[in-house]
């Protein structure tokens, strides 16, 4: 982490399409604490900061060239989200992935994404299908390159696109909070031989069902895809015991 951050900045947020492209972009105020939180959050989810890693307030403050106050605020938010553990007088560490929380998160994700994929299968247009295919094509290329980070980003784009096609973009916003622990675990699964190819195939089945307007098949394909994380986590816990609790 590096770079000087202003105490507060204003960044544009695209206006919703339904409001009309002619309207100016909304502005969102981003504080220093927000910026630190965003960076640490991304690093923890991507495992650049693995479970058990110690986080030093002083060092983070120096790297961002700020006081410790916004650093503490960011760490408290991460603690509330279950991503760091704060020990008074001892310090802060990146939390282990709580295995017990994953089944419930999968249930929530299946419920909400079952809704989005069904609706997408009902109303998807050829342009929508082309959008999904372009994402899958990029995933194929990234799988061949072994680029797990970019592959995961396209995986996110695929599921977000389905929510958008369904007309329920807010569902994806909710899910990004619900599935943080799933995402940390899934980062460990992608390097496994053949796993990225399996994900591509599962996405292809979902796309085909949506393209054919087969609602039940689309839901079934999505349920199978999302359910794959449970056995993966059981294996990962054995391979990476220090990362899970």
């Amino acid at each position: 982490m590096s770079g000087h951050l202003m105490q507060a900045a204003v960044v544009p947020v695209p206006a919703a399409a339904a409001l009309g492209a002619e309207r100016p972009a909304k502005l969102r105020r981003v504080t220093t604490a927000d910026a630190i939180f965003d960076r640490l959050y991304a690093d923890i989810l991507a495992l650049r900061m693995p479970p058990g890693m110690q986080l030093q307030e002083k060092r983070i403050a120096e790297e961002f060239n700020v006081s410790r106050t916004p650093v503490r605020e960011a760490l408290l938010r991460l603690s509330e989200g279950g991503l760091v553990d704060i020990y008074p007088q001892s310090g802060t560490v990146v939390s282990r992935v709580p295995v017990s929380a994953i089944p419930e998160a999968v249930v929530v994700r299946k419920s909400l994404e079952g809704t989005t994929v069904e609706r997408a299968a009902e109303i998807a247009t050829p342009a929508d299908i082309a959008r999904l295919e372009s994402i899958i094509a990029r995933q194929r290329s990234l799988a061949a390159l072994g680029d797990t980070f970019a592959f995961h980003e396209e995986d996110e784009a695929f599921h977000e696109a389905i929510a958008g096609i369904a007309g329920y973009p807010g569902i994806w916003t909710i899910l990004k909070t619900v599935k943080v622990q799933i995402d940390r675990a899934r980062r460990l699964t992608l390097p496994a031989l053949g796993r990225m190819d399996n994900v591509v195939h599962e996405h292809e089945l979902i796309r085909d069902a949506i393209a054919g307007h087969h609602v039940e098949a689309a839901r079934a394909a999505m349920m199978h895809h999302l359910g794959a994380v449970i056995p993966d986590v059981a294996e990962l816990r054995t391979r990476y015991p220090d990362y899970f609790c």
Side-chain angles (χ1 to χ4, degrees):
M1 297 178 293
S2 63
H4 180 77
L5 297 175
M6 301 292 289
Q7 183 60 36
V10 177
V11 297
V13 176
L19 297 180
E22 71 281 358
R23 292 196 179 186
K26 293 181 180 180
L27 297 179
R28 177 170 66 91
R29 189 172 181 82
V30 178
T31 66
T32 302
D34 291 332
I36 295 171
F37 171 87
D38 289 344
R39 180 77 64 80
L40 296 178
Y41 181 92
D43 285 346
I44 291 171
L45 260 63
L47 298 184
R48 288 187 291 268
M49 290 182 169
M53 179 178 176
Q54 292 189 343
L55 302 180
Q56 300 178 358
E57 283 187 14
K58 180 180 179 182
R59 182 176 178 182
I60 295 171
E62 289 174 349
E63 290 179 344
F64 279 93
N65 195 22
V66 297
S67 70
R68 291 196 185 188
T69 299
V71 176
R72 289 177 184 146
E73 182 180 334
L75 292 176
L76 283 172
R77 288 176 60 191
L78 290 168
S79 176
E80 291 168 357
L83 293 177
V84 303
D85 296 321
I86 299 175
Y87 300 100
Q89 310 305 321
S90 298
T92 300
V93 299
V94 177
S95 301
R96 293 184 178 187
V97 179
V99 174
S100 61
I102 290 178
E104 183 177 22
V106 170
V107 168
V108 174
R109 191 170 181 186
K110 281 184 173 181
S111 177
L112 294 179
E113 291 207 63
T115 298
T116 60
V117 78
E118 286 181 343
R119 183 58 177 162
E122 291 175 347
I123 66 174
T125 66
D128 293 328
I129 303 307
R131 178 183 176 191
L132 295 178
E133 175 53 38
S134 67
I135 295 171
I136 292 172
R138 289 194 294 271
Q139 285 193 293
R140 291 194 199 99
S141 298
L142 293 167
L145 294 171
D147 189 338
T148 59
F149 179 82
F151 184 93
H152 180 79
E153 295 302 305
E154 292 299 334
D155 185 88
E156 294 284 282
F158 181 80
H159 289 270
E160 182 176 11
I162 291 174
I165 292 168
Y168 302 138
I171 285 182
W172 184 248
T173 301
I174 294 169
L175 282 172
K176 284 193 292 186
T177 299
V178 171
K179 67 188 187 69
V180 289
Q181 302 299 351
I182 295 176
D183 287 341
R184 296 173 74 197
R186 289 185 63 250
R187 292 280 189 174
L188 295 170
T189 69
L190 292 178
L193 183 63
R195 182 56 190 148
M196 287 191 285
D197 291 334
N198 288 342
V199 170
V200 169
H201 178 62
E202 291 163 7
H203 283 183
E204 289 172 340
L205 293 176
I206 294 169
R207 176 212 56 203
D208 290 347
I210 294 174
H213 302 292
H214 302 309
V215 175
E216 292 184 5
R219 182 180 181 86
M222 181 65 79
M223 296 304 100
H224 173 76
H225 175 56
L226 297 179
V229 72
I230 298 296
D232 284 343
V233 169
E235 179 182 350
L236 288 171
R237 191 176 188 183
T238 300
R239 292 170 55 193
Y240 303 95
D242 294 338
Y243 281 14
F244 295 86
C245 62

